[in-house]
Amino acid sequence: MTTKSDELEPSESRVTIARIAAETGVSVPTVSKVLNGRPDVAESTRARVEAVIGKYGYRRRADERSRRSRLLELMFHELESTWALEIIRGVECVARENGMAVVLAESSGRHTPGQSWLESVLARRPVGIVSVCSDFTGGQLAKLRARDIPLVVVDPAGAPGPETPSIGATNWQGGLTATRHLIELGHRRIAMIGGPEGVLCSRARIDGYRTALETAGLAFDPALVRRGDFHVRAGYRELASLLTLPDRPTAVFAGSDLQALGVYEAARDAGLRIPDDLSVVGFDDLPIARWLTPELTTVRQPLQEMAAAGARLAISLARGVDPESHRLELATSLVVRHSTAAPAHRGYRVLTGGAR
Amino acid sequence: MTTKSDELEPSESRVTIARIAAETGVSVPTVSKVLNGRPDVAESTRARVEAVIGKYGYRRRADERSRRSRLLELMFHELESTWALEIIRGVECVARENGMAVVLAESSGRHTPGQSWLESVLARRPVGIVSVCSDFTGGQLAKLRARDIPLVVVDPAGAPGPETPSIGATNWQGGLTATRHLIELGHRRIAMIGGPEGVLCSRARIDGYRTALETAGLAFDPALVRRGDFHVRAGYRELASLLTLPDRPTAVFAGSDLQALGVYEAARDAGLRIPDDLSVVGFDDLPIARWLTPELTTVRQPLQEMAAAGARLAISLARGVDPESHRLELATSLVVRHSTAAPAHRGYRVLTGGAR
């Protein structure tokens, strides 16, 4: 509750700020304004000051850092589905425990946050940032470093650089476990619907799927591996396409619960019963997994706990405590419900007259 | 982006602050601190200052008001289900359009926000508050009024006082339309699962249900009207109980999509098919309504639009623009999908051997 004056105090830190001011050819208050994200500085001046700040690796002093507001920033690339809600709840809970408030923003689907958002964050002087977007530019990271605003990425889509701490889940292990479950039930034609190309958590799940097949002595068939975007429609589209294969899969690892939902719809439209004619495994364990008919077998990803761990890490970093590790992966676990069974039934052939 | 010094300027407003200071027997800066929600004031002093502020009806001057931060506060009683997410998206979108950020808080299920949250809001000096909690205390409202922080309640559970603007939906009309749809299909035994006692939107839906029955010449049977809490389990529990009635309902207006989900589960467990053996209508039209099997017929409530309208209203009020109306109800509409049908089938009797 201590958003006092934004100005830097005339103290030892002035030496550095004075040097930056002198080198840039601007006044000390102008450097302060840039540091504090104030809008009343010309863009060209701001860029020159930032360049010199970067050159000297200037960082706020510890007593300056303590003048943060009691805000924790939370940045999404998109606010969709209960996936986002689980993340929000995890961060909000930790913020409340620490007497802080959560500022929420969305980057309209882009994985690199916008510049105006970043400037507004600098002006708010938050404790730290928890972000689902992982693709911060080098310039953005440098600005945050100079103000000593810690950034933690949760469930990263891309690969944050080595200096950015991140909290993820054991995606590879999840893909492996889901696929082994289907193999143990007796499935041999197992399809996989991944996420967008370049999203690392999706790559990890696909690699786990592949390893499960190969260690079981099953061939990896590229025709059975599809790309989605983790949303419902992609699941529908890809299963519909998979069902046109001459040797259609008897099981699908859908890559996300929402894609599993689309798979359910496409299966229904094709007259297939789950799990009799098709087994389905999701990923995430959103509340909806329990509400589907039949209830969805899925890989639980502890989203709330991941978000809470991210918030705690940001707060620790703001207090100057360095974490033991900058990468943390929380465990995934398979939750077996009613959407998976042995591929014994031949309902599909009877219903549609199609041949295998 | 203008969180400057928090202190009030020495100007005409000082006359009033000075009077408050004199009457309370404290210094002018102390009154300023209380107005700005600063923590370094003794609780007893704060209470005395607040009392005198209330007595004189002190309000910040217009030029003081313009020194707000670019924050919009969003307060939930609970962050559950995509219902909350729809509200968040509506507010976030309007905030972004206006170059503002959203501060999110949850009151742990209580409908009256906590005192520490309110003090932190005063310290942040936001543009305004959009709240789903409607039960602010008189003291809380007075504090907001003195700082000229507008409050708008969205989808109010209780009845905010006449001075608090609110944005709702036409709940009564929604209840009426849902029930008429079932009557037109031929149903005569129609159950209704409402929300918690005292939640007005639930009362309005029940009243619409009752009016639909009575204008159709059907008796209102209190045994068919149940109380839930808008969540999945209540739907399950109440349908399970309704199915034990000697003359069980052939249709249920579930009062919320989540309760409809519980109704689906209970129907499945009882061996009833939807809509063959039981018709179900929800309320809200959350994304899940389209994902259920069969897809849910429901009353669409434009939650995102309601939240956006609430945010716009708060921003207008902060700019000194008074709205034409302090109550706004956005229209609900019936979305007919596949969970409702004529009560022609007798599957229940055959399946369970039960008599009507």
Side-chain angles (χ1 to χ4, degrees), chain A residues 232-257:
Chain A
V232 181
R233 264 173 218 181
Y236 186 97
R237 183 189 67 222
E238 295 308 328
L239 183 70
S241 158
L242 284 162
L243 291 181
T244 65
L245 291 177
D247 190 8
R248 76 155 177 96
T250 60
V252 182
F253 173 31
S256 77
D257 287 354

Side-chain angles (χ1 to χ4, degrees), chain B residues 245-296:
Chain B
L245 291 178
D247 190 8
R248 76 154 178 97
T250 61
V252 181
F253 173 31
S256 77
D257 287 354
L258 294 183
Q259 284 184 170
L261 213 74
V263 165
Y264 269 51
E265 280 188 46
R268 191 166 67 216
D269 286 356
L272 294 180
R273 287 163 304 159
I274 297 169
D276 310 61
D277 306 317
L278 185 76
S279 282
V280 183
V281 182
F283 200 105
D284 283 330
D285 199 23
L286 300 180
I288 195 177
R290 276 170 289 127
W291 300 341
L292 290 175
T293 313
E295 292 178 32
L296 181 67

Side-chain angles (χ1 to χ4, degrees), chain A residues 298-310:
Chain A
T298 192
V299 177
R300 178 171 145 72
Q301 170 162 233
L303 291 166
Q304 260 188 64
E305 291 86 338
M306 286 156 63

Side-chain angles (χ1 to χ4, degrees), chain A:
Chain A
M1 262 62 12
T2 47
T3 351
K4 312 263 172 65
S5 157
D6 291 352
E7 302 306 328
L8 294 169
E9 299 245 302
S11 64
E12 301 99 277
S13 70
R14 168 166 286 195
V15 181
T16 316
I17 291 182
R19 189 178 306 159
I20 293 164
E23 176 142 350
T24 327
V26 301
S27 69
V28 167
T30 300
V31 176
S32 278
K33 282 181 181 175
V34 171
L35 280 169
N36 292 318
R38 295 257 296 271
D40 47 347
V41 180
E43 266 322 302
S44 58
T45 310
R46 186 187 303 279
R48 271 161 47 222
V49 173
E50 290 287 359
V52 177
I53 287 172
K55 176 178 159 191
Y56 283 104
Y58 170 85
R59 294 181 74 147
R60 277 225 171 89
R61 293 187 324 132
D63 62 337
E64 277 300 321
R65 274 182 253 153
S66 69
R67 309 167 127 234
R68 304 169 194 275
S69 67
R70 305 289 291 170
L71 299 173
L72 208 52
E73 305 278 336
L74 175 55
M75 181 54 157
F76 280 94
H77 64 291
E78 56 183 9
L79 281 168
E80 280 218 28
S81 91
T82 41
W83 181 91
L85 202 61
E86 299 286 312
I87 302 274
I88 292 172
R89 293 175 75 179
V91 173
E92 206 275 333
C93 184
V94 170
R96 193 147 28 110
E97 277 168 20
N98 286 275
M100 296 170 184
V102 178
V103 181
L104 190 77
E106 192 209 54
S107 65
S108 315
R110 285 168 301 141
H111 283 283
T112 299
Q115 213 50 43
S116 66
W117 171 75
L118 196 82
E119 292 300 329
S120 74
V121 166
L122 302 186
R124 285 195 287 275
R125 306 188 66 168
V127 173
I129 302 173
V130 177
S131 175
V132 171
C133 307
S134 53
D135 297 350
F136 283 69
T137 66
Q140 290 177 329
L141 291 174
K143 284 183 180 182
L144 294 175
R145 214 161 33 235
R147 280 82 175 174
D148 243 315
I149 299 174
L151 164 69
V152 176
V153 177
V154 169
D155 200 11
E163 74 282 9
T164 307
S166 68
I167 313 276
T170 57
N171 286 292
W172 182 86
Q173 185 67 44
L176 183 85
T177 312
T179 312
R180 288 202 163 153
H181 168 64
L182 293 168
I183 294 170
E184 280 159 16
L185 286 169
H187 293 277
R188 295 297 171 262
R189 295 284 291 163
I190 301 170
M192 152 104 220
I193 307 174
E197 196 79 45
V199 168
L200 277 188
C201 67
S202 161
R203 283 299 298 261
R205 289 172 205 176
I206 295 175
D207 284 351
Y209 155 85
R210 182 181 190 136
T211 293
L213 292 178
E214 293 181 350
T215 55
L218 297 172
F220 173 83
D221 180 353
L224 293 182
V225 180
R226 304 302 176 99
R227 288 287 178 193
D229 58 5
F230 289 145
H231 291 302
V232 181
R233 264 173 218 181
Y236 186 97
R237 183 189 67 222
E238 295 308 328
L239 183 70
S241 158
L242 284 162
L243 291 181
T244 65
L245 291 177
D247 190 8
R248 76 155 177 96
T250 60
V252 182
F253 173 31
S256 77
D257 287 354
L258 294 182
Q259 285 184 169
L261 214 75
V263 165
Y264 269 51
E265 281 188 44
R268 192 166 66 217
D269 287 357
L272 294 180
R273 287 162 304 159
I274 297 169
D276 310 60
D277 308 317
L278 186 76
S279 282
V280 183
V281 181
F283 200 104
D284 284 331
D285 199 23
L286 300 180
I288 195 177
R290 276 170 289 128
W291 301 340
L292 290 175
T293 313
E295 293 178 31
L296 181 67
T297 295
T298 192
V299 177
R300 178 171 145 72
Q301 170 162 233
L303 291 166
Q304 260 188 64
E305 291 86 338
M306 286 156 63
R312 274 193 212 101
L313 179 52
I315 294 170
S316 295
L317 288 167
R319 288 179 181 147
V321 181
D322 216 34
E324 288 172 26
S325 165
H326 274 220
R327 302 272 142 165
L328 205 59
E329 289 204 341
L330 303 194
T332 53
S333 55
L334 183 72
V335 183
V336 178
R337 296 200 181 93
H338 306 302
S339 64
T340 45
H345 306 271
R346 287 285 177 268
Y348 181 62
R349 194 184 290 172
V350 173
L351 277 170
T352 68
R356 293 264 309 240

